[in-house]
Amino acid sequence: MDVILGILFCLALLLSIVCCTKLMRVKRKLSDMAEALSDIQAGNGNRKILAADNELTAELSFKMNEIVYAYEEQLSQLRSADETNRQLMTSLSHDVRTPLTTLLGYLDAVHRGVVSGKAREDYLEISRRKAHDLKEYIDVLFDWFKLNSSEFSLSIERTELAELTRNILKDWIPIFEEKNLIYEIELPEKPLLTRVDLDGYARIINNLVQNVINHSQATQIKIEMVKQESNIEICIMDNGIGIEKADLQHIFQRLYKCDKGRSNKGSGLGLAIVRQMVEQMDGRITVQSEPNQYTNFTVFFPLDA
């Protein structure tokens, strides 16, 4: 009997030692976690709470790491948005104030009677063109802020894309002719169904065509729609100055302007808006170009059978 009691006592003692050891490890781990959280609270977002898979606090540690990671992602996006807004404000200062000052200079000269006859008409024509450029720039800015506001949403619906594209492009034909731009438009006669926002799709096509007119210095433009196995492809090609390879990979980035031919005009937001709208409609966009030969923007939307 004494032997059994002795064995039970030893087992109880051993169990107490094991429990105390585990409790001390948990307390030490909780202390480490509290220290790590204090470090994270102080701004060290790279600090992680380390734990082995078999530790009692492992699940809690991994969950806290996930929360910290998500929080850091949100912070990174906020910093990126702040940087973009700061660049936009800087860009506004130059791209709006400078041409506006020039515009006022021409109009003041006309108002004071400094010029007359043909020169006066030229001043008024220059003023008119600059006013249109400013409106275009402000429209792009408005689109950008609207697209990135929390209140913006697309109204995506099943749409016959060939007819919609035909209606959009018919308004461009007088402009092509006015600018002596040789154009070729090839749209299918059979219906091609997909799901897009009608206004958003019009903005995509209009921005891409406007991009050709403003920046490419092209003499020819070709717009083609084709049906592939699971996609509809809309190609907008020109024979203009093209895009350098170094610029090509950045062409859809916000505020990016190419060094050649594209830096004198534009906000650097047009193509970023196009890509954002295409992706919000479950599509994608690519670009190929050879300097002084051609540029081809291709938009893909999934077929809706």
Side-chain angles (χ1 to χ4, degrees):
M1 190 66 175
D2 291 343
V3 174
I4 294 174
L5 289 173
I7 292 173
L8 290 174
F9 176 77
C10 290
L11 288 174
L13 181 62
L14 182 61
L15 184 61
S16 298
I17 293 172
V18 170
C19 289
C20 286
T21 302
K22 284 187 173 293
L23 182 61
M24 290 177 64
R25 286 179 181 170
V26 170
K27 287 182 67 177
R28 188 163 56 246
K29 193 66 188 177
L30 288 174
S31 177
D32 292 343
M33 292 168 67
E35 181 187 343
L37 286 175
S38 297
D39 195 20
I40 292 168
Q41 188 180 29
N44 184 5
N46 293 321
R47 181 71 181 269
K48 295 292 180 289
I49 302 171
L50 302 178
D53 290 340
N54 58 352
E55 289 184 10
L56 291 174
T57 57
E59 186 175 351
L60 178 61
S61 299
F62 298 152
K63 195 67 182 176
M64 292 172 75
N65 285 338
E66 288 178 11
I67 293 172
V68 171
Y69 178 77
Y71 177 68
E72 281 300 309
E73 278 288 305
Q74 291 179 357
L75 273 181
S76 176
Q77 291 174 7
L78 284 174
R79 292 190 193 105
S80 177
D82 284 345
E83 176 62 17
T84 298
N85 289 334
R86 188 190 64 76
Q87 292 179 20
L88 272 175
M89 292 302 105
T90 304
S91 179
L92 269 174
S93 175
H94 177 267
D95 294 340
V96 173
R97 292 179 61 187
T98 303
L100 185 59
T101 302
T102 308
L103 171 61
L104 289 172
Y106 280 108
L107 291 176
D108 284 344
V110 171
H111 179 71
R112 293 196 306 270
V114 175
V115 290
S116 60
K118 177 70 167 53
R120 184 177 185 277
E121 295 302 317
D122 290 344
Y123 272 41
L124 287 175
E125 175 59 19
I126 293 169
S127 300
R128 188 187 68 83
R129 288 204 303 268
K130 287 188 176 296
H132 277 285
D133 289 345
L134 275 173
K135 181 184 180 302
E136 183 183 316
Y137 183 84
I138 291 169
D139 285 346
V140 170
L141 279 177
F142 179 77
D143 283 345
W144 174 257
F145 284 117
K146 182 180 175 184
L147 195 58
N148 287 276
S149 74
S150 58
E151 299 176 356
F152 178 78
S153 63
L154 295 173
S155 178
I156 295 176
E157 57 186 85
R158 197 165 190 251
T159 305
E160 202 289 285
L161 207 61
E163 187 63 22
L164 175 60
T165 307
R166 191 173 287 109
N167 287 331
I168 295 169
L169 292 177
K170 70 181 182 183
D171 293 334
W172 282 100
I173 290 175
I175 299 173
F176 294 156
E177 292 174 346
E178 177 189 340
K179 295 185 176 298
N180 296 317
L181 192 59
I182 300 171
Y183 62 92
E184 183 178 353
I185 298 173
E186 293 185 5
L187 301 175
E189 295 298 328
K190 293 182 178 179
L192 292 180
L193 294 171
T194 186
R195 298 182 66 82
V196 296
D197 175 274
L198 301 184
D199 292 338
Y201 179 75
R203 173 62 69 185
I204 290 166
I205 299 301
N206 287 335
N207 278 11
L208 290 174
V209 174
Q210 190 72 56
N211 187 64
V212 172
I213 291 176
N214 285 350
H215 304 297
S216 72
Q217 301 175 29
T219 58
Q220 298 177 25
I221 182 171
K222 180 178 181 180
I223 302 166
E224 181 181 27
M225 178 181 290
V226 294
K227 176 186 175 184
Q228 298 295 350
E229 185 175 346
S230 59
N231 289 315
I232 301 172
E233 294 183 10
I234 306 102
C235 302
I236 298 179
M237 296 164 279
D238 68 72
N239 68 338
I241 59 174
I243 305 170
E244 297 287 347
K245 287 185 179 178
D247 296 318
L248 208 56
Q249 58 184 318
H250 306 292
I251 200 70
F252 293 113
Q253 292 178 2
R254 292 170 296 191
L255 301 177
Y256 189 82
K257 298 180 183 179
C258 298
D259 291 333
K260 294 180 180 179
R262 294 172 184 252
S263 57
N264 295 329
K265 189 178 179 183
S267 61
L269 289 175
L271 291 177
I273 290 173
V274 166
R275 184 175 68 172
Q276 194 167 342
M277 298 200 80
V278 168
E279 291 177 348
Q280 287 193 12
M281 295 182 215
D282 293 328
R284 63 188 176 92
I285 182 169
T286 63
V287 57
Q288 295 86 37
S289 184
E290 285 293 333
N292 301 312
Q293 293 187 36
Y294 77 96
T295 298
N296 180 14
F297 287 94
T298 306
V299 181
F300 302 82
F301 285 113
L303 271 170
D304 190 67

